[in-house]
Each structure stands twice: as C-alpha cells, then as structure tokens.
Amino acid sequence: ALIGRIHRSPKTILLELVQERWKVQPQYRVVNVQGTRGSPEYTVGVEAGPVHAQGTGRSRRAAEDAAARQALAKLGRQQPHSESLGGA
C-alpha cells in the first residue's frame, strides 16, 4: 500500500532491494565524526552489493539514512526501474 511505502526508511528500502538483487545485506560503518560532543556530525559509508555511498548527519542514524539515500540514488541511475521494486 502507498501508506506503507511512505513510512519506510531509506535503510529498509535499500535492505530489501540489495537482498533481492545480490542476496547480501548493506554494511554500514562510521568513517568520520567531526564537531563537538554536543553537536557532532557523522559520516557513514555503506556498501550495498556493488554500490558504495556515503552520507552525513547530526546522528549516526541520520548519517546512515543519508548514505542509504545516496546508494538508492546510485542504484536508480544504474537500474531505471528500481523505484518499482519493493513491497505492495
């Protein structure tokens, strides 16, 4: 259903896509943390099958989501119909 798709995180969508295509799970890792303890900025890398991407955010979770969005964008450029994949 459309409502289910709206609330799915980029990480969830990437996980489903990568598992379906390559039978692996995306691997996330923190590659850098900048800023102060009270205002950090995380950079997280993701390896999702053949795709590697990075994202930044004010929390590790936000950086992981940003990395997943970048990976999905790369997959979208490689596979024009990737947006049609996923749950019903």
Side-chain angles (χ1 to χ4, degrees):
L2 180 59
I3 292 174
R5 291 181 191 188
I6 291 171
H7 295 291
R8 289 183 1 184
S9 73
K11 286 179 65 176
T12 299
I13 296 167
L14 181 64
L15 173 65
E16 292 172 356
L17 188 63
V18 170
Q19 281 183 329
E20 181 178 316
R21 289 188 187 175
W22 296 290
K23 311 296 186 229
V24 298
Q25 293 188 3
Q27 299 296 312
Y28 294 88
R29 65 183 176 88
V30 175
V31 294
N32 193 23
V33 181
Q34 293 182 320
T36 63
R37 181 175 284 178
S39 182
E41 181 172 88
Y42 291 83
T43 301
V44 170
V46 63
E47 181 179 328
V51 175
H52 298 260
Q54 285 191 351
T56 59
R58 294 289 175 195
S59 69
R60 185 175 148 197
R61 172 68 188 226
E64 288 174 349
D65 282 347
R69 278 192 297 276
Q70 289 298 317
L72 287 166
K74 287 183 176 186
L75 287 167
R77 285 196 289 274
Q78 292 176 0
Q79 304 288 336
H81 301 293
S82 64
E83 67 277 358
S84 66
L85 297 176

